[in-house]
Amino acid sequence: MDDKAHATTVEDNTLDTSSTSGSKPPAETQAQVHTQTSKSSGFLNSINHFRGIAIIFIVMAHCYRPAGWQIETFADKAWFNLMMNGTVFFVFISGFLFHHVFYHRWDYKKYMKSKTKFVFLPYLLLSLPWIIWHITVGTDPMMHKELADITAPAQAASWYVITGRTLTAYWYIPMGMMLFALSPWVMYLIKKQQVLYYAIPLLLIAIMVHRPISNLNAIQSLVYFLPVYLLGVWGSAHRDKLFPFIDRYWLPMLLGGIALALIQAEYFGAGVLNKAPFEMTVPDLMLPQKILLTLVILAILNKFEHISIKPLQKLAEVSFAIYFIHPWITTPWWMIYDSPDLFGLAGQGNIFTTLIVTLVVVTISYMIAIVIKKLLSKRSRYLIGW
C-alpha cells in the first residue's frame, strides 16, 4: 500500500502520503522534490501519475475473481503475472517520496505521530467492525481458528490487528508501520550514501524468501518489500543518474519484464508464490519483473512530465482512501456468501473484464471517499487517511 510528495498506499510511505505535520497540502504541492544532488524543488507529475496507476494495480489484484477470470491458459498466466504484485509499485514510490519529502526536514517523532494518526488509526477503525464479525459470526470455520488455531476472543482480536487479515489488502498496514519505524535507519543510510549497498543484497534475499502464506507474516512481508523501498529512496537521491538511464534503456527493461512473466507462466505458474520464509523453492521472478516494470513506467511517465493528466492526479490524491475503502466492496460479500462469483461470470472473464470491474470499484471507492471527505472535512483523515 506511502509518503506524500504519497502513496500511495497505499501508499499505499507505503500507502500514506501525508506530511509529518498532519496537514495535507494540495495536489499541486504533494510531490515536491528534495535530493542530495540538487537543491531545486518542483512538483513531479510523473511520480504523482504513477501513484494513480499504482492504486489501479492494487485494486485490480482484488477484482479478477468477481470479474469471472479463471487463470487457466498460458496467456491467462502471463497476463496475470504482469498484473499481480502491484504493491511493488506502491513501495517504490513510497521510498522515492520519503527521500523527497523528509530528507531535509526530518523529525522522527512527528513522522511516527502522523503515521499513527493517519495510517494506523484508520486501519483500526475500519478493521474493528470486521474483527467483531469474524469473532462473533464469521466464516465456517472461523478464520482465526482455521489459520492460527486461536479460540480466545481477545487473542483472536489481537491476531487480526497484527496480521491485517480482517479484509483483503489490510495486511499491508502492519508491515507498513514497521517500515515507518525503520525510517531512522533509512535516513542513516541516505546520509552515509549506503542505500544501494543494502538494497541489492536484501533484494537477493527477498527473491528467495517470497511473500508470506496468506500475507499473515508481517515480518516476512517487510523482508520482501524493504529492498524495493530502499531502491525507491536511492532513485530519488540519485534522480540525475536514474532518469537518464531508464530513459535510454526502458525498452530492454520492458522486454526483460515481459520475459520474466512468460518464464514464470511456463515453469512456475501464475501469481505470487507465497510460502513459509525458510522453505526452499524456486526464486521469485515476479519481484525483479515488477522492479523492471516500475522503472519502465517511470521512464514513460517522465517523457510526459510537462503534462498534467487530471484523472491520474485525482486518483493519486485519493489513492490512500481508495486503498482503505475498496476492500469493503470486494471482500465482504465473498466472506458472507462464500463465493467470489457474485455476478455469475465464472469462466467467462479475462484481463479486460477484470479491468472493467476494477474501474467500477475504483470509481465507487473514489465517490465514497469524496462523500466522507465532504461530511467529515479534515477529520476524514482519521477514518480513511485522506
Side-chain angles (χ1 to χ4, degrees):
M1 230 287 265
D2 80 58
D3 276 308
K4 213 165 205 146
H6 174 173
T8 93
T9 235
V10 127
E11 217 206 284
D12 174 183
N13 235 333
T14 47
L15 287 175
D16 175 36
T17 56
S18 57
S19 67
T20 53
S21 66
S23 62
K24 183 177 179 67
E28 289 75 9
T29 62
Q30 282 179 351
Q32 250 190 340
V33 180
H34 300 286
T35 67
Q36 288 173 291
T37 56
S38 173
K39 295 296 183 181
S40 63
S41 64
F43 179 74
L44 285 178
N45 276 319
S46 55
I47 293 296
N48 216 40
H49 293 156
F50 200 175
R51 290 172 55 203
I53 293 171
I55 191 60
I56 293 175
F57 271 87
I58 294 296
V59 176
M60 192 182 300
H62 307 137
C63 288
Y64 70 94
R65 288 188 177 95
W69 190 13
Q70 295 180 344
I71 315 302
E72 298 174 340
T73 68
F74 175 79
D76 286 337
K77 295 175 182 178
W79 277 115
F80 193 72
N81 290 338
L82 290 170
M83 179 189 82
M84 295 299 285
N85 212 14
T87 305
V88 171
F89 299 155
F90 264 56
V91 176
F92 181 91
I93 295 169
S94 179
F96 194 104
L97 294 177
F98 174 79
H99 176 269
H100 274 355
V101 175
F102 296 108
Y103 178 68
H104 291 293
R105 55 182 182 92
W106 176 239
D107 187 321
Y108 182 62
K109 183 178 179 179
K110 288 183 178 180
Y111 179 77
M112 290 305 298
K113 182 179 179 181
S114 173
K115 299 307 177 187
T116 301
K117 289 193 299 183
F118 305 129
V119 178
F120 194 66
L121 180 58
Y123 164 70
L124 288 179
L125 292 176
L126 292 172
S127 296
L128 183 60
W130 293 103
I131 291 174
I132 295 172
W133 182 83
H134 280 296
I135 293 174
T136 57
V137 181
T139 55
D140 186 20
M142 291 184 174
M143 198 176 298
H144 51 279
K145 292 182 179 179
E146 180 181 19
L147 297 177
D149 194 26
I150 294 174
T151 56
Q155 189 178 0
S158 299
W159 180 80
Y160 283 112
V161 172
I162 292 170
T163 63
R165 193 58 185 172
T166 50
L167 287 176
T168 300
Y170 280 13
W171 63 267
Y172 185 84
I173 302 301
M175 185 275 290
M177 291 304 296
M178 289 193 293
L179 190 60
F180 301 149
L182 287 176
S183 53
W185 175 68
V186 176
M187 193 65 69
Y188 171 83
L189 295 183
I190 296 172
K191 292 177 179 178
K192 295 295 183 180
Q193 298 187 19
Q194 296 178 352
V195 174
L196 206 58
Y197 296 143
Y198 283 83
I200 299 303
L202 287 173
L203 179 61
L204 297 177
I205 293 172
I207 288 173
M208 298 309 300
V209 167
H210 289 250
R211 285 176 58 170
I213 296 172
S214 300
N215 295 313
L216 293 177
N217 189 333
I219 295 176
Q220 185 177 347
S221 293
L222 180 65
V223 172
Y224 185 87
F225 287 108
L226 179 57
V228 180
Y229 186 84
L230 293 178
L231 289 174
V233 170
W234 184 90
S236 171
H238 299 276
R239 188 162 59 91
D240 58 328
K241 298 177 182 179
L242 176 66
F243 278 55
F245 178 85
I246 62 177
D247 183 64
R248 183 175 182 180
Y249 295 107
W250 71 269
L251 184 55
M253 289 190 294
L254 174 61
L255 296 176
I258 294 174
L260 288 174
L262 295 174
I263 292 170
Q264 180 178 341
E266 177 65 25
Y267 297 105
F268 306 142
V272 179
L273 305 179
N274 306 66
K275 71 172 187 66
F278 300 111
E279 175 189 350
M280 295 306 297
T281 183
V282 298
D284 179 9
L285 298 185
M286 188 171 284
L287 184 55
Q289 175 235 117
K290 278 298 177 294
I291 291 174
L292 287 174
L293 293 185
T294 296
L295 299 177
V296 169
I297 294 172
L298 191 56
I300 293 174
L301 292 175
N302 189 54
K303 293 178 183 294
F304 303 96
E305 179 64 39
H306 60 289
I307 299 175
S308 177
I309 305 173
K310 289 297 178 62
L312 291 180
Q313 296 281 4
K314 290 293 185 181
L315 281 181
E317 181 184 354
V318 191
S319 59
F320 198 24
I322 293 173
Y323 160 77
F324 270 131
I325 293 169
H326 86 271
W328 281 71
I329 301 171
T330 61
T331 307
W333 52 265
W334 185 8
M335 294 191 300
I336 294 170
Y337 296 106
D338 197 30
S339 172
D341 189 22
L342 181 65
F343 305 110
L345 297 175
Q348 303 177 46
N350 50 46
I351 183 67
F352 301 107
T353 61
T354 300
L355 181 59
I356 292 172
V357 172
T358 298
L359 295 178
V360 171
V361 172
V362 168
T363 301
I364 294 173
S365 301
Y366 180 88
M367 291 189 297
I368 292 173
I370 294 296
V371 171
I372 293 175
K373 187 72 170 178
K374 288 185 178 297
L375 291 175
L376 300 180
S377 188
K378 293 181 179 180
R379 289 171 294 179
S380 67
R381 296 194 68 195
Y382 296 102
L383 180 62
I384 58 173
W386 173 67

